[in-house]
Amino acid sequence: MTTTILDDLRAALGAKVATSAADLAAHGHDEGYPGTYAPDAVVYAESEADVLAVLAFARTHGVSVTPFAAGSSLEGSAICVRGGVSLDVTRMNRVLSIEPDDFLAVVEPGVTHRELSRLARRHGLFFSVDPGADASLGGMAATGASGTTSVRYGTMKHNVLEARVALLDGRMLDLGTRARKSSAGYDLLPLFVGSEGTLGVFTRLTVRLHPLPPSAASVRVIFPDVRRAVDATTALLGAGVAPQRLELVDAETVKAVNAYQGRDDPEVPTLWIEVVGRDDADVKASLDVVEDVCAESGGNVVGRALKESERAALWTVRHHAYYALRAAAPGHDVRIGDVCVPISALPNLVDEARRLLDEHALHAPMLGHVGDGNLHLLFHAAPSDDDAWARIDAVSDALARHAIASGGTCTGEHGVGIRKRKYLRAEHGDALDVMRDLKRLFDPHELLNPGKIFE
Amino acid sequence: MTTTILDDLRAALGAKVATSAADLAAHGHDEGYPGTYAPDAVVYAESEADVLAVLAFARTHGVSVTPFAAGSSLEGSAICVRGGVSLDVTRMNRVLSIEPDDFLAVVEPGVTHRELSRLARRHGLFFSVDPGADASLGGMAATGASGTTSVRYGTMKHNVLEARVALLDGRMLDLGTRARKSSAGYDLLPLFVGSEGTLGVFTRLTVRLHPLPPSAASVRVIFPDVRRAVDATTALLGAGVAPQRLELVDAETVKAVNAYQGRDDPEVPTLWIEVVGRDDADVKASLDVVEDVCAESGGNVVGRALKESERAALWTVRHHAYYALRAAAPGHDVRIGDVCVPISALPNLVDEARRLLDEHALHAPMLGHVGDGNLHLLFHAAPSDDDAWARIDAVSDALARHAIASGGTCTGEHGVGIRKRKYLRAEHGDALDVMRDLKRLFDPHELLNPGKIFE
């Protein structure tokens, strides 16, 4: 951007425009993509009017715009590969209403899921999508995020009810409905959820809240191998207990956490299962079913937690996996692989991952939202170890293609960003051309988050 | 269509082309729209290749094509307002696979939901969307159908996992994924679900199956007024019992069924509530919660059914409402109103409906999927009573606009078809123009089910 163009931006948005080295650097990377692509300017939007002013500026000057909030994306979705303006919406962080009778909240895109959860709790409600990082709701909607409880409550695609979207041409669209269902014409909302800011900019979201379960309990069950843990998962999903969480960690992960925390948990594949219910008796009865079902697949219960404090302790291994790995491999960068397959294809995916890791002499703990068929590999290497990163690329690439060939997807919840663009043809075939047609319809000059999703 | 053009169709599709008066008449109406619009020809497609041949013919000759299956639509969605070809897919009725480990089935579009349910049951599974009529899955996907169990399992939008779609230009798209979630680019599947055959033709669907609940029970609860029944609904949705059905009928409906069946149920607003669980003890405990919650809103239990046979008896009133009305008003045509609002807005909607009916001197029992905020009015009048139909139009119109103004929708589950087109601007604003842009992208010459959704 030339100085003249920057002056125009300042004329429109005044002190909300920032160009300091620190501002540009902070918006040049996310938490998972290795490259840095700084914008030419950051605009800290405070309102929908500011968002529209930035889009008008982009139109007039042919400058690209990339929405940014918590910066917790993992695939480069929020960084400016072609410079331009980083449209920071973190100041649009008001929870506009919580409406308990309709089980929903209306928020600005910069609100984080933790903040919303905190406020919802006062009404006996919670926001169910928890991606781990304290992501913004706008960013989570943009990547179609999910997390540990999606097996019961669905992903952002199921929990965004309405979105107000600013289009590049200056129109504001109100998509979705507060009614629980509608058959009134084309459902445009799901097109925008997961579009990573390439079609428009969210200025407001209505999200679903769920009643806090009156009671919950967790159990940790070890299995001789991953295949049997997955058998148990399938049986659990059919058993009428509707788990709230159904998480798998592999032996490597348990080993890393044992070392990190001085524990001596059995270093074998382990399922973490959480059930909820009307009251403690209900939950205990569900746990009995869960344990019977797991036993039939060769599982052994090694921990049962009824109270909230016990539950927290039980979930330690699962929650600490990432930090344990970082501690086990000091100085290493971590890349989190994210593929998702039909549940029946998960054992083969895990076998294939193990085989690929061995073939490429790599070490990567695996964990997954197994109730969703979603597997994460925690790849890691020293930042300068080009050879290791090349091998990680090879494994990552083979796994994405294996997942697609198994009827699954190259990304279950992290989005496409930059790194996964090359798999979309294999995954979508001719539908990728239709996606490009839609992109062209909303953004004919490729100004909205250019270089993402499409190669 | 000229004789020459028809000859071309016969050359391409042989004996699958039908032009008898009976064939044309059978495809000229549905179960709810009063007008008759016969096609020029019917093609009984037996395969994807046949569908593509019809689309190629349409392209070449500029002839319009309207997909047709069970013909159970209510808003005219499947009839040929501009003639052309009725593309009948009822012979594409194979269940291609049931895959219990992944809780899904792959079907051709002409399979009916009852047939799928029958086959799924052998695997301990069921297909959850039951619109009442024995609709085809292709038609249900096309209108975004739902039914009594959507409060727990969602609508077709939540239960179609993959669709294979034939585009007018001859491309085949494979949309969606068998993985339980994906963030891989734009989610095009929800754009086609609910598009009423105006963007493409389904040739195959992958749908979700759910485990048959090990145990279920129902309860019937009467309330002094609708407002208190809705209060109970909100409380029930927050109570952690996740009802499988949550249905409301008004006093008029009970009265009609009493007369039809010689019953003497209390003629007041009544909730039908069904809960499911691990086992009978679980379900009984849930019923206790349900009854306590209802009592707090002034509800009185008048029937409790634990066994399947008892449940069937209990649900009689709900199931027989339509037939009771037909019996009560012999010779009348029935039009089923369908609006849907946020649950908190339902009491006002019911009050407004009552007021409008009184104002226009009409009688129409009301029932609703109250857990979804979805209200149906059973309007009826003699076919020739133009004055009554004008008053029905007036009430129907005012209710659609009231629902939209309340943050809801002019159609919860029946689709737009012909009759609801005029409300889409009020409901969607500028987003309607975007819908038109999308229509133009897939069907620039308006050959696919023309005259539907858009005015």
Side-chain angles (χ1 to χ4, degrees), chain B residues 41-66:
Chain B
V42 177
V43 174
Y44 291 95
E46 292 173 10
S47 66
E48 188 172 291
D50 290 345
V51 170
L52 287 169
V54 169
L55 294 176
F57 166 82
R59 259 187 342 259
T60 309
H61 294 285
V63 167
S64 66
V65 172
T66 299

PDB file of all heavy atoms in Angstrom, chain B residues 41-66:
ATOM      1  N   ALA B  41     -44.713 -34.348 -20.468  1.00  0.00           N
ATOM      2  CA  ALA B  41     -44.304 -35.755 -20.490  1.00  0.00           C
ATOM      3  C   ALA B  41     -43.751 -36.120 -19.126  1.00  0.00           C
ATOM      4  O   ALA B  41     -43.243 -35.266 -18.400  1.00  0.00           O
ATOM      5  CB  ALA B  41     -43.230 -35.980 -21.554  1.00  0.00           C
ATOM      6  N   VAL B  42     -43.858 -37.400 -18.799  1.00  0.00           N
ATOM      7  CA  VAL B  42     -43.242 -37.923 -17.575  1.00  0.00           C
ATOM      8  C   VAL B  42     -42.111 -38.852 -17.995  1.00  0.00           C
ATOM      9  O   VAL B  42     -42.269 -39.632 -18.943  1.00  0.00           O
ATOM     10  CB  VAL B  42     -44.270 -38.722 -16.743  1.00  0.00           C
ATOM     11  CG1 VAL B  42     -43.609 -39.323 -15.508  1.00  0.00           C
ATOM     12  CG2 VAL B  42     -45.457 -37.846 -16.361  1.00  0.00           C
ATOM     13  N   VAL B  43     -40.971 -38.728 -17.336  1.00  0.00           N
ATOM     14  CA  VAL B  43     -39.909 -39.718 -17.553  1.00  0.00           C
ATOM     15  C   VAL B  43     -39.712 -40.483 -16.254  1.00  0.00           C
ATOM     16  O   VAL B  43     -39.448 -39.870 -15.211  1.00  0.00           O
ATOM     17  CB  VAL B  43     -38.582 -39.060 -17.987  1.00  0.00           C
ATOM     18  CG1 VAL B  43     -37.472 -40.116 -18.057  1.00  0.00           C
ATOM     19  CG2 VAL B  43     -38.734 -38.363 -19.333  1.00  0.00           C
ATOM     20  N   TYR B  44     -39.870 -41.805 -16.323  1.00  0.00           N
ATOM     21  CA  TYR B  44     -39.624 -42.646 -15.149  1.00  0.00           C
ATOM     22  C   TYR B  44     -38.162 -43.073 -15.151  1.00  0.00           C
ATOM     23  O   TYR B  44     -37.793 -44.101 -15.728  1.00  0.00           O
ATOM     24  CB  TYR B  44     -40.547 -43.869 -15.176  1.00  0.00           C
ATOM     25  CG  TYR B  44     -42.002 -43.517 -14.947  1.00  0.00           C
ATOM     26  CD1 TYR B  44     -42.867 -43.318 -16.018  1.00  0.00           C
ATOM     27  CD2 TYR B  44     -42.492 -43.362 -13.651  1.00  0.00           C
ATOM     28  CE1 TYR B  44     -44.199 -42.980 -15.795  1.00  0.00           C
ATOM     29  CE2 TYR B  44     -43.836 -43.019 -13.429  1.00  0.00           C
ATOM     30  CZ  TYR B  44     -44.679 -42.832 -14.505  1.00  0.00           C
ATOM     31  OH  TYR B  44     -45.986 -42.492 -14.285  1.00  0.00           O
ATOM     32  N   ALA B  45     -37.323 -42.246 -14.516  1.00  0.00           N
ATOM     33  CA  ALA B  45     -35.878 -42.519 -14.531  1.00  0.00           C
ATOM     34  C   ALA B  45     -35.571 -43.764 -13.701  1.00  0.00           C
ATOM     35  O   ALA B  45     -36.161 -43.971 -12.641  1.00  0.00           O
ATOM     36  CB  ALA B  45     -35.118 -41.319 -13.986  1.00  0.00           C
ATOM     37  N   GLU B  46     -34.664 -44.573 -14.203  1.00  0.00           N
ATOM     38  CA  GLU B  46     -34.279 -45.779 -13.469  1.00  0.00           C
ATOM     39  C   GLU B  46     -32.844 -45.719 -12.989  1.00  0.00           C
ATOM     40  O   GLU B  46     -32.378 -46.606 -12.272  1.00  0.00           O
ATOM     41  CB  GLU B  46     -34.499 -47.015 -14.361  1.00  0.00           C
ATOM     42  CG  GLU B  46     -35.993 -47.238 -14.613  1.00  0.00           C
ATOM     43  CD  GLU B  46     -36.293 -48.332 -15.627  1.00  0.00           C
ATOM     44  OE1 GLU B  46     -35.360 -49.064 -16.026  1.00  0.00           O
ATOM     45  OE2 GLU B  46     -37.480 -48.443 -16.005  1.00  0.00           O
ATOM     46  N   SER B  47     -32.123 -44.690 -13.390  1.00  0.00           N
ATOM     47  CA  SER B  47     -30.696 -44.610 -13.049  1.00  0.00           C
ATOM     48  C   SER B  47     -30.221 -43.169 -13.169  1.00  0.00           C
ATOM     49  O   SER B  47     -30.906 -42.315 -13.749  1.00  0.00           O
ATOM     50  CB  SER B  47     -29.893 -45.466 -14.033  1.00  0.00           C
ATOM     51  OG  SER B  47     -30.008 -44.882 -15.331  1.00  0.00           O
ATOM     52  N   GLU B  48     -29.027 -42.954 -12.656  1.00  0.00           N
ATOM     53  CA  GLU B  48     -28.377 -41.655 -12.794  1.00  0.00           C
ATOM     54  C   GLU B  48     -28.220 -41.295 -14.268  1.00  0.00           C
ATOM     55  O   GLU B  48     -28.364 -40.126 -14.653  1.00  0.00           O
ATOM     56  CB  GLU B  48     -27.025 -41.738 -12.107  1.00  0.00           C
ATOM     57  CG  GLU B  48     -26.303 -40.434 -11.996  1.00  0.00           C
ATOM     58  CD  GLU B  48     -25.077 -40.606 -11.118  1.00  0.00           C
ATOM     59  OE1 GLU B  48     -25.228 -40.811  -9.894  1.00  0.00           O
ATOM     60  OE2 GLU B  48     -23.956 -40.560 -11.670  1.00  0.00           O
ATOM     61  N   ALA B  49     -27.912 -42.290 -15.080  1.00  0.00           N
ATOM     62  CA  ALA B  49     -27.747 -42.034 -16.512  1.00  0.00           C
ATOM     63  C   ALA B  49     -29.045 -41.480 -17.116  1.00  0.00           C
ATOM     64  O   ALA B  49     -29.008 -40.565 -17.954  1.00  0.00           O
ATOM     65  CB  ALA B  49     -27.329 -43.317 -17.235  1.00  0.00           C
ATOM     66  N   ASP B  50     -30.169 -42.015 -16.671  1.00  0.00           N
ATOM     67  CA  ASP B  50     -31.460 -41.497 -17.158  1.00  0.00           C
ATOM     68  C   ASP B  50     -31.648 -40.044 -16.735  1.00  0.00           C
ATOM     69  O   ASP B  50     -32.127 -39.207 -17.523  1.00  0.00           O
ATOM     70  CB  ASP B  50     -32.623 -42.332 -16.605  1.00  0.00           C
ATOM     71  CG  ASP B  50     -32.670 -43.736 -17.201  1.00  0.00           C
ATOM     72  OD1 ASP B  50     -32.005 -43.978 -18.227  1.00  0.00           O
ATOM     73  OD2 ASP B  50     -33.380 -44.588 -16.621  1.00  0.00           O
ATOM     74  N   VAL B  51     -31.306 -39.743 -15.485  1.00  0.00           N
ATOM     75  CA  VAL B  51     -31.434 -38.357 -15.000  1.00  0.00           C
ATOM     76  C   VAL B  51     -30.580 -37.433 -15.861  1.00  0.00           C
ATOM     77  O   VAL B  51     -31.038 -36.369 -16.311  1.00  0.00           O
ATOM     78  CB  VAL B  51     -31.025 -38.254 -13.509  1.00  0.00           C
ATOM     79  CG1 VAL B  51     -30.930 -36.801 -13.068  1.00  0.00           C
ATOM     80  CG2 VAL B  51     -32.010 -39.028 -12.632  1.00  0.00           C
ATOM     81  N   LEU B  52     -29.349 -37.858 -16.121  1.00  0.00           N
ATOM     82  CA  LEU B  52     -28.457 -37.026 -16.941  1.00  0.00           C
ATOM     83  C   LEU B  52     -28.997 -36.883 -18.369  1.00  0.00           C
ATOM     84  O   LEU B  52     -28.872 -35.809 -18.974  1.00  0.00           O
ATOM     85  CB  LEU B  52     -27.040 -37.616 -16.950  1.00  0.00           C
ATOM     86  CG  LEU B  52     -26.286 -37.423 -15.628  1.00  0.00           C
ATOM     87  CD1 LEU B  52     -24.992 -38.262 -15.614  1.00  0.00           C
ATOM     88  CD2 LEU B  52     -25.944 -35.941 -15.400  1.00  0.00           C
ATOM     89  N   ALA B  53     -29.607 -37.937 -18.877  1.00  0.00           N
ATOM     90  CA  ALA B  53     -30.175 -37.868 -20.228  1.00  0.00           C
ATOM     91  C   ALA B  53     -31.319 -36.857 -20.280  1.00  0.00           C
ATOM     92  O   ALA B  53     -31.450 -36.087 -21.243  1.00  0.00           O
ATOM     93  CB  ALA B  53     -30.656 -39.247 -20.672  1.00  0.00           C
ATOM     94  N   VAL B  54     -32.140 -36.833 -19.236  1.00  0.00           N
ATOM     95  CA  VAL B  54     -33.238 -35.862 -19.183  1.00  0.00           C
ATOM     96  C   VAL B  54     -32.686 -34.441 -19.114  1.00  0.00           C
ATOM     97  O   VAL B  54     -33.178 -33.525 -19.793  1.00  0.00           O
ATOM     98  CB  VAL B  54     -34.178 -36.153 -17.987  1.00  0.00           C
ATOM     99  CG1 VAL B  54     -35.157 -35.001 -17.781  1.00  0.00           C
ATOM    100  CG2 VAL B  54     -34.936 -37.462 -18.208  1.00  0.00           C
ATOM    101  N   LEU B  55     -31.647 -34.251 -18.308  1.00  0.00           N
ATOM    102  CA  LEU B  55     -31.071 -32.906 -18.185  1.00  0.00           C
ATOM    103  C   LEU B  55     -30.428 -32.475 -19.507  1.00  0.00           C
ATOM    104  O   LEU B  55     -30.530 -31.308 -19.904  1.00  0.00           O
ATOM    105  CB  LEU B  55     -30.067 -32.860 -17.027  1.00  0.00           C
ATOM    106  CG  LEU B  55     -30.696 -33.061 -15.640  1.00  0.00           C
ATOM    107  CD1 LEU B  55     -29.620 -33.114 -14.547  1.00  0.00           C
ATOM    108  CD2 LEU B  55     -31.711 -31.964 -15.311  1.00  0.00           C
ATOM    109  N   ALA B  56     -29.777 -33.405 -20.176  1.00  0.00           N
ATOM    110  CA  ALA B  56     -29.174 -33.079 -21.485  1.00  0.00           C
ATOM    111  C   ALA B  56     -30.271 -32.675 -22.474  1.00  0.00           C
ATOM    112  O   ALA B  56     -30.130 -31.695 -23.221  1.00  0.00           O
ATOM    113  CB  ALA B  56     -28.396 -34.281 -22.011  1.00  0.00           C
ATOM    114  N   PHE B  57     -31.362 -33.410 -22.442  1.00  0.00           N
ATOM    115  CA  PHE B  57     -32.513 -33.087 -23.293  1.00  0.00           C
ATOM    116  C   PHE B  57     -33.054 -31.688 -22.969  1.00  0.00           C
ATOM    117  O   PHE B  57     -33.337 -30.882 -23.867  1.00  0.00           O
ATOM    118  CB  PHE B  57     -33.595 -34.166 -23.083  1.00  0.00           C
ATOM    119  CG  PHE B  57     -34.931 -33.801 -23.635  1.00  0.00           C
ATOM    120  CD1 PHE B  57     -35.208 -33.984 -24.985  1.00  0.00           C
ATOM    121  CD2 PHE B  57     -35.911 -33.265 -22.814  1.00  0.00           C
ATOM    122  CE1 PHE B  57     -36.453 -33.643 -25.505  1.00  0.00           C
ATOM    123  CE2 PHE B  57     -37.147 -32.924 -23.329  1.00  0.00           C
ATOM    124  CZ  PHE B  57     -37.420 -33.101 -24.674  1.00  0.00           C
ATOM    125  N   ALA B  58     -33.162 -31.401 -21.673  1.00  0.00           N
ATOM    126  CA  ALA B  58     -33.673 -30.090 -21.243  1.00  0.00           C
ATOM    127  C   ALA B  58     -32.783 -28.962 -21.765  1.00  0.00           C
ATOM    128  O   ALA B  58     -33.275 -27.946 -22.269  1.00  0.00           O
ATOM    129  CB  ALA B  58     -33.755 -30.043 -19.713  1.00  0.00           C
ATOM    130  N   ARG B  59     -31.475 -29.170 -21.626  1.00  0.00           N
ATOM    131  CA  ARG B  59     -30.498 -28.176 -22.109  1.00  0.00           C
ATOM    132  C   ARG B  59     -30.645 -27.938 -23.606  1.00  0.00           C
ATOM    133  O   ARG B  59     -30.705 -26.808 -24.077  1.00  0.00           O
ATOM    134  CB  ARG B  59     -29.087 -28.731 -21.888  1.00  0.00           C
ATOM    135  CG  ARG B  59     -28.377 -28.198 -20.718  1.00  0.00           C
ATOM    136  CD  ARG B  59     -26.931 -28.622 -20.602  1.00  0.00           C
ATOM    137  NE  ARG B  59     -26.415 -29.746 -21.310  1.00  0.00           N
ATOM    138  CZ  ARG B  59     -26.204 -30.946 -20.779  1.00  0.00           C
ATOM    139  NH1 ARG B  59     -26.544 -31.202 -19.540  1.00  0.00           N
ATOM    140  NH2 ARG B  59     -25.654 -31.907 -21.511  1.00  0.00           N
ATOM    141  N   THR B  60     -30.693 -29.044 -24.332  1.00  0.00           N
ATOM    142  CA  THR B  60     -30.718 -28.952 -25.786  1.00  0.00           C
ATOM    143  C   THR B  60     -31.971 -28.243 -26.288  1.00  0.00           C
ATOM    144  O   THR B  60     -31.917 -27.420 -27.200  1.00  0.00           O
ATOM    145  CB  THR B  60     -30.685 -30.375 -26.397  1.00  0.00           C
ATOM    146  OG1 THR B  60     -29.601 -31.078 -25.794  1.00  0.00           O
ATOM    147  CG2 THR B  60     -30.506 -30.339 -27.904  1.00  0.00           C
ATOM    148  N   HIS B  61     -33.095 -28.572 -25.677  1.00  0.00           N
ATOM    149  CA  HIS B  61     -34.363 -28.057 -26.205  1.00  0.00           C
ATOM    150  C   HIS B  61     -34.948 -26.907 -25.392  1.00  0.00           C
ATOM    151  O   HIS B  61     -36.015 -26.407 -25.739  1.00  0.00           O
ATOM    152  CB  HIS B  61     -35.386 -29.197 -26.282  1.00  0.00           C
ATOM    153  CG  HIS B  61     -35.014 -30.253 -27.271  1.00  0.00           C
ATOM    154  ND1 HIS B  61     -35.134 -30.075 -28.630  1.00  0.00           N
ATOM    155  CD2 HIS B  61     -34.480 -31.491 -27.108  1.00  0.00           C
ATOM    156  CE1 HIS B  61     -34.719 -31.159 -29.264  1.00  0.00           C
ATOM    157  NE2 HIS B  61     -34.311 -32.042 -28.365  1.00  0.00           N
ATOM    158  N   GLY B  62     -34.261 -26.523 -24.324  1.00  0.00           N
ATOM    159  CA  GLY B  62     -34.807 -25.443 -23.495  1.00  0.00           C
ATOM    160  C   GLY B  62     -36.116 -25.820 -22.834  1.00  0.00           C
ATOM    161  O   GLY B  62     -36.999 -24.984 -22.637  1.00  0.00           O
ATOM    162  N   VAL B  63     -36.225 -27.094 -22.476  1.00  0.00           N
ATOM    163  CA  VAL B  63     -37.455 -27.591 -21.843  1.00  0.00           C
ATOM    164  C   VAL B  63     -37.246 -27.656 -20.329  1.00  0.00           C
ATOM    165  O   VAL B  63     -36.164 -28.016 -19.867  1.00  0.00           O
ATOM    166  CB  VAL B  63     -37.796 -29.000 -22.389  1.00  0.00           C
ATOM    167  CG1 VAL B  63     -38.855 -29.679 -21.549  1.00  0.00           C
ATOM    168  CG2 VAL B  63     -38.227 -28.906 -23.847  1.00  0.00           C
ATOM    169  N   SER B  64     -38.251 -27.319 -19.557  1.00  0.00           N
ATOM    170  CA  SER B  64     -38.066 -27.340 -18.109  1.00  0.00           C
ATOM    171  C   SER B  64     -38.267 -28.740 -17.529  1.00  0.00           C
ATOM    172  O   SER B  64     -38.970 -29.573 -18.109  1.00  0.00           O
ATOM    173  CB  SER B  64     -38.967 -26.317 -17.430  1.00  0.00           C
ATOM    174  OG  SER B  64     -40.308 -26.689 -17.598  1.00  0.00           O
ATOM    175  N   VAL B  65     -37.623 -28.972 -16.388  1.00  0.00           N
ATOM    176  CA  VAL B  65     -37.611 -30.284 -15.728  1.00  0.00           C
ATOM    177  C   VAL B  65     -37.930 -30.100 -14.260  1.00  0.00           C
ATOM    178  O   VAL B  65     -37.311 -29.269 -13.597  1.00  0.00           O
ATOM    179  CB  VAL B  65     -36.218 -30.941 -15.863  1.00  0.00           C
ATOM    180  CG1 VAL B  65     -36.135 -32.203 -15.015  1.00  0.00           C
ATOM    181  CG2 VAL B  65     -35.898 -31.251 -17.307  1.00  0.00           C
ATOM    182  N   THR B  66     -38.891 -30.866 -13.767  1.00  0.00           N
ATOM    183  CA  THR B  66     -39.266 -30.790 -12.357  1.00  0.00           C
ATOM    184  C   THR B  66     -39.194 -32.180 -11.739  1.00  0.00           C
ATOM    185  O   THR B  66     -39.930 -33.070 -12.147  1.00  0.00           O
ATOM    186  CB  THR B  66     -40.693 -30.216 -12.221  1.00  0.00           C
ATOM    187  OG1 THR B  66     -40.701 -28.892 -12.768  1.00  0.00           O
ATOM    188  CG2 THR B  66     -41.128 -30.169 -10.770  1.00  0.00           C
TER     189      THR B  66
END
